[in-house]
Amino acid sequence: MPRPFVAYLRVYEPLSVLDAPLAVKVRKALEAGPIPRSEVGDRERELWLRSQLAKKLLPGGSHFEVMTISPAEVPTSDAARVGPGPLVCPLDLRARSAAALVGFLASAQPVLQDAALSIAPETVRARASAVMAELSAGAVHVISTTWTVPLPWFAMVDPAQRRVVLASAQDDPERQVSWRVAMADARRRVARALKVVKTALGDDGPAKVLADTGRWLEHFHPHSAVELDYGGLVQLVNDKDLLEDSSATDVNAIVDALETGDAEEVALRYESLREFWGELARRERHG
């Protein structure tokens, strides 16, 4: 079975800055062993499925997973600092599952809710809200999106710092595309892109994504690291197209072109993005 077609934004905070309750959980998880990147998608899928029964997810807190990286693995500008290590990313699976469940209750028809849930929706909503309230930072450390990457996310990374790992097969779990960036650099890049985009295009669309992303980043320690990871999306793209993907370069070029009023460059870069991500959108629609 292929991994879920999910991409991620992750925040890795220094273990030393976490408050006591969360730090205890993280240390315990680290003793058991951090979850390998290659297993994240399958582990999340397992819990998403369990969460649909509500009883499995909401009353207990037994599911706690963490990823970890070293500060040495994070490129930084002269104005940014990351660490000290280890840098840890709690996957916040219970909270993210609870949030997904709340979203399901808000959007699904009553007949579908009745078929999917084993207890009353009001009870599920109350328990889910309680789970989300457990977050010490007030925000999950991971944001995920299916089948695509929101294009404004690329504004926070340096295109030159892309990490590409090809493997023996397109569905090899070790295959990856990702970027890492110091929190201070990510915040600076997002703030600059938001200012440019709002001036050129207004407050909706890309500006809203950038504003929401900027607010999310503010929940975490300034010496953290941010990772943009294609996750399971790499299964949908062959090696040649993966290596030639210029999404981060194109988005950053669009921000520069919007700032200088170069409409021709904006159109050229957007066409490149539309071609690459449009193909993934067609895969979603047609399976």
Side-chain angles (χ1 to χ4, degrees):
M1 179 182 295
R3 287 173 291 152
F5 302 127
V6 177
Y8 304 92
L9 266 186
R10 302 185 183 100
V11 169
Y12 295 80
E13 291 191 280
L15 176 57
S16 58
V17 308
L18 302 182
D19 62 22
L22 179 57
V24 169
K25 290 182 179 180
V26 169
R27 288 192 174 94
K28 185 176 180 180
L30 290 175
E31 289 174 2
I35 181 171
R37 173 189 300 271
S38 60
E39 297 179 12
V40 168
D42 289 336
R43 197 76 61 90
E44 290 186 343
R45 174 165 52 200
E46 177 185 358
L47 191 56
W48 296 157
L49 293 174
R50 291 182 181 183
S51 74
Q52 298 310 304
L53 300 175
K55 292 179 181 178
K56 296 288 185 182
L57 166 72
L58 302 175
S62 59
H63 299 282
F64 192 87
E65 306 280 6
V66 64
M67 297 176 67
T68 182
I69 60 174
S70 165
E73 299 176 80
V74 184
T76 63
S77 70
D78 292 339
R81 172 186 167 192
V82 172
L87 300 175
V88 295
C89 176
L91 299 190
D92 299 323
L93 291 175
R94 292 183 70 237
R96 291 165 59 205
S97 294
L101 207 50
V102 169
F104 170 77
L105 291 174
S107 60
Q109 295 295 323
V111 63
L112 185 56
Q113 294 183 23
D114 291 342
L117 301 175
S118 58
I119 55 180
E122 294 77 13
T123 302
V124 173
R125 187 177 290 105
R127 291 180 179 176
S129 297
V131 167
M132 289 187 290
E134 296 172 4
L135 291 168
S136 59
V140 293
H141 287 75
V142 182
I143 299 175
S144 59
T145 178
T146 57
W147 289 94
T148 190
V149 173
L151 296 181
W153 284 6
F154 289 107
M156 78 175 68
V157 302
D158 180 347
Q161 299 297 339
R162 183 174 67 153
R163 300 157 50 93
V164 180
V165 177
L166 302 179
S168 58
Q170 199 161 309
D171 60 353
D172 189 314
E174 297 298 332
R175 199 161 177 263
Q176 66 165 286
V177 172
S178 64
W179 291 260
R180 290 170 182 166
V181 57
M183 177 62 76
D185 292 335
R187 289 176 179 171
R188 172 179 53 80
R189 287 173 171 273
V190 168
R192 184 243 174 173
L194 176 59
K195 180 179 179 181
V196 170
V197 171
K198 284 181 68 174
T199 299
L201 304 176
D203 294 335
D204 297 328
K208 185 178 187 308
V209 175
L210 287 165
D212 290 344
T213 303
R215 283 192 291 269
W216 176 65
L217 294 176
E218 290 294 334
H219 282 93
F220 304 102
H221 195 275
H223 297 162
S224 302
V226 185
E227 180 177 60
L228 170 55
D229 182 4
Y230 277 16
L233 299 187
V234 296
Q235 299 168 106
L236 302 171
V237 186
N238 63 41
D239 287 356
K240 179 178 182 295
D241 290 341
L242 211 56
L243 290 171
E244 294 178 354
D245 169 32
S246 59
S247 296
T249 300
D250 291 332
V251 169
N252 280 271
I254 285 174
V255 174
D256 292 342
L258 287 173
E259 189 171 41
T260 60
D262 188 344
E264 184 176 345
E265 178 71 3
V266 171
L268 179 67
R269 296 290 186 166
Y270 180 76
E271 179 59 26
S272 175
L273 291 164
R274 189 192 64 79
E275 182 177 345
F276 182 84
W277 293 102
E279 177 59 31
L280 268 65
R282 286 188 287 274
R283 294 284 296 273
E284 178 184 13
R285 289 194 298 269
H286 303 297

